[in-house]
Amino acid sequence: MKKSIAVAAAIIYRDGQFLLSKRKSDQHQGGKWEFPGGKIEAGESLEQAMSRELAEEINIQVSEQTSFHHLEFEYPEKHVELHFQLVTSFSGQEQGLEGQEVAWFSKQELMGLTFPDANVPVLEKIEKEL
């Protein structure tokens, strides 16, 4: 049976820009841009996982998040349940605490980047709604 994981991912949106991080080359789907986040741990709510992951990964403290999109995706090696949260307010100076690149992009730039396949439906929703 395939491994199944639940992930909280942040669409960090401020002043018409999106904050993304780049997956390190040795990671699954390495070298691609992604919405920062990570695995939801046992006993954690989606909001708790989102806040913890963003503090650990990119040094920001979330003050406002709302549900944006939910999807399930099958990779050959695992099943992923993705919970995308729209983060519109935070404090702290963003930086890649795990050595990953982080950068801000306009919506037009965002649509030209390479993302993991599972992100395609959420990119389509961003294009229409944000």
Side-chain angles (χ1 to χ4, degrees), residues 64-108:
E64 199 171 308
Q65 61 175 306
T66 54
S67 180
F68 184 76
H69 195 61
H70 170 260
L71 64 94
E72 296 190 28
F73 193 84
E74 297 291 334
Y75 284 106
E77 65 282 1
K78 64 181 161 185
H79 173 87
V80 182
E81 187 177 342
L82 291 157
H83 300 270
F84 290 93
Q85 293 288 95
L86 182 62
V87 174
T88 52
S89 182
F90 64 88
S91 59
Q93 180 59 49
E94 67 278 354
Q95 61 177 311
L97 296 178
E98 298 173 342
Q100 77 278 34
E101 189 180 341
V102 294
W104 289 95
F105 295 94
S106 69
K107 181 158 68 169
Q108 186 177 359

Side-chain angles (χ1 to χ4, degrees), residues 41-53:
E41 303 293 345
E44 259 184 337
S45 71
L46 172 58
E47 292 77 14
Q48 288 169 328
M50 189 82 277
S51 295
R52 177 186 52 76
E53 284 287 346

